[in-house]
Amino acid sequence: MFIRFAPLFLLLCCGLTMLSAQKIQTIQSSISPKKMGLTLIHEHVFLDWSGAEKTKPESWNNDSAVTVILPYLRAVQKYGVKTILECTPNHIGRNPKLLARLADSTGLQFLSNTGYYGARGDHHVPASAYSETVEQIAERWLDEFKNGIDGTSIRPGFIKIGVDGDSTLSEIDATIVRAAALAHLRSGLTIVAHTGPDPLALRQVEILEQASVALNAWVWTHAQHGTDPTRTALAKKGAWISLDGLGWVDPAERGGDSTALMNYVKAIEALKLAGCLRRVLLSHDAGWYTHGVPGGGRFQPYTLIFTHLLPVLRERGFSEKEIELMLVKNPQEAFKIRVRTQRK
Ligand SMILES: [Zn+2]
């Protein structure tokens, strides 16, 4: 009897294991994707631009940062935000202890990250990355996923990388993308890649395809710097299209018809027209308490989506369901942890 039903039993068990693995990793715990709620997928609380070999976490003033940042987090909670993905990578001020304090004070769920940032002229890539193999780099990130970040028990919820250049990837940036592909295949963590224009996105896609990583494991970050045809083409192949610079729309231009805001609206409409709204992610890339600047410098609020973008989208016929898709359902789908491979 058991033998007869064993395959079914095994199938059920495997299915349950796979389901239970599809969780979101916040800085506190592993949660069901449904518990994410309204989510901002790309924000920052703290930055240190000193350079990879020069940052000194012991010199960071977390007390001052908490005082500055808390009112901005409370403001965003008034719009119903429950979860924020903190996208500051290692060696630029990734600050898990500060995140833990902010989570305790607000009840917000934060996700942190692992990975290296090869943009801004590779100033934030650690020296070790130049002599290590793709495998060794990926293993460093996987160690953080297994054991925690910077001596804490906080585990990353995604891989954050960065690339720059005009149309080709530098050798180190290509290495970082390859390491991200490998780390994804071994962990199921989603790759959030600071990218920008089309050619850099397409070059990364080639590397991911070579590694058999499906594009729904990759977020084209800062895709607002790309074009409608490439955004649509990659969305149709499964990539997540992150339109995420809304915190930097010039306040003087804010309002119904500002050019910068309307560029976002048009990009979202083009994706909707192409049937790709289920691949769209929205955020501000805001915050930025900056180490070394008095009081952390000018802090960008995390609210423009709610105060300016959504009213325009509603006026132009977007339904509440479509808005919920971009700010609630797509983040759940994008960041639940599971290995995504291309079918050959
Ligand atoms: Zn950012």
Side-chain angles (χ1 to χ4, degrees):
M1 190 72 170
F2 175 76
I3 289 169
R4 202 169 146 201
F5 289 102
L8 180 64
F9 177 74
L10 283 173
L11 191 71
L12 280 171
C13 283
C14 291
L16 287 173
T17 309
M18 280 167 69
L19 276 179
S20 67
Q22 298 202 355
K23 292 277 183 82
I24 300 291
Q25 181 64 49
T26 74
I27 61 166
Q28 295 104 333
S29 63
S30 179
I31 62 166
S32 152
K34 284 195 172 151
K35 292 206 170 142
M36 283 178 94
L38 193 59
T39 298
L40 293 173
I41 55 90
H42 189 123
E43 308 295 345
H44 298 270
V45 294
F46 188 92
L47 289 148
D48 180 348
W49 296 109
S50 307
E53 304 302 323
K54 293 181 187 155
T55 52
K56 291 194 183 73
E58 62 279 8
S59 68
W60 294 343
N61 188 343
N62 283 356
D63 291 338
S64 164
V66 165
T67 309
V68 169
I69 298 165
L70 269 183
Y72 291 96
L73 294 177
R74 297 220 157 97
V76 90
Q77 287 183 289
K78 289 195 182 131
Y79 291 99
V81 170
K82 300 276 186 254
T83 303
I84 294 179
L85 276 69
E86 214 282 341
C87 284
T88 308
N90 194 7
H91 307 294
I92 314 188
R94 184 184 62 176
N95 190 337
K97 286 178 185 157
L98 174 63
L99 279 185
R101 282 179 65 177
L102 294 170
D104 283 347
S105 301
T106 59
L108 279 164
Q109 302 174 122
F110 286 99
L111 275 67
S112 187
N113 66 85
T114 188
Y116 292 159
Y117 185 80
R120 295 203 180 215
D122 303 324
H123 193 50
H124 305 281
V125 178
S128 60
Y130 290 87
S131 58
E132 291 185 343
T133 62
V134 164
E135 170 102 19
Q136 286 170 320
I137 294 169
E139 277 306 318
R140 281 183 187 267
W141 303 347
L142 291 164
D143 181 68
E144 292 194 327
F145 183 51
K146 285 174 203 141
N147 300 313
I149 295 168
D150 300 336
T152 70
S153 58
I154 290 173
R155 298 170 68 206
F158 60 100
I159 299 163
K160 171 73 190 287
I161 60 169
V163 300
D164 63 359
D166 296 326
S167 58
T168 52
L169 296 184
S170 67
E171 204 176 313
I172 191 66
D173 287 0
T175 297
I176 289 170
V177 179
R178 287 190 189 99
L182 184 58
H184 167 74
L185 293 172
R186 290 183 182 173
S187 67
L189 289 172
T190 300
I191 303 164
V192 173
H194 168 108
T195 301
D198 292 357
L200 295 180
L202 295 168
R203 183 67 194 105
Q204 285 180 79
V205 166
E206 280 172 29
I207 293 174
L208 295 171
E209 286 177 342
Q210 280 161 10
S212 297
V213 173
L215 289 194
N216 65 342
W218 177 75
V219 179
W220 177 1
T221 299
H222 311 323
Q224 63 269 22
H225 300 304
T227 63
D228 285 331
T230 306
R231 281 192 289 258
T232 302
L234 292 189
K236 285 191 171 168
K237 288 176 88 174
W240 295 101
I241 308 300
S242 180
L243 302 168
D244 51 34
L246 281 150
W248 300 91
V249 173
D250 183 355
E253 288 185 331
R254 285 178 191 175
D257 283 310
S258 85
T259 312
L261 184 65
M262 287 313 291
N263 286 342
Y264 280 88
V265 172
K266 286 178 197 157
I268 297 164
E269 285 182 335
L271 285 156
K272 179 180 169 178
L273 199 64
C276 296
L277 220 47
R278 65 188 183 87
R279 312 315 298 170
V280 176
L281 300 167
L282 302 175
S283 215
H284 300 94
D285 195 15
W288 299 50
Y289 179 101
T290 305
H291 171 71
V293 179
R298 181 184 159 195
F299 200 89
Q300 294 292 120
Y302 308 110
T303 43
L304 193 126
I305 285 176
F306 308 103
T307 55
H308 292 76
L309 178 70
L310 295 188
V312 177
L313 291 182
R314 287 183 178 115
E315 251 173 51
R316 294 168 77 97
F318 277 71
S319 67
E320 293 311 308
K321 226 175 170 176
E322 288 168 333
I323 289 167
E324 190 196 6
L325 184 64
M326 293 185 284
L327 290 170
V328 179
K329 296 210 165 142
N330 288 349
Q332 293 174 7
E333 189 60 28
F335 292 99
K336 64 186 182 191
I337 298 171
R338 78 272 190 215
V339 175
R340 284 147 274 178
T341 52
Q342 285 184 347
R343 285 188 211 124
K344 296 263 177 182

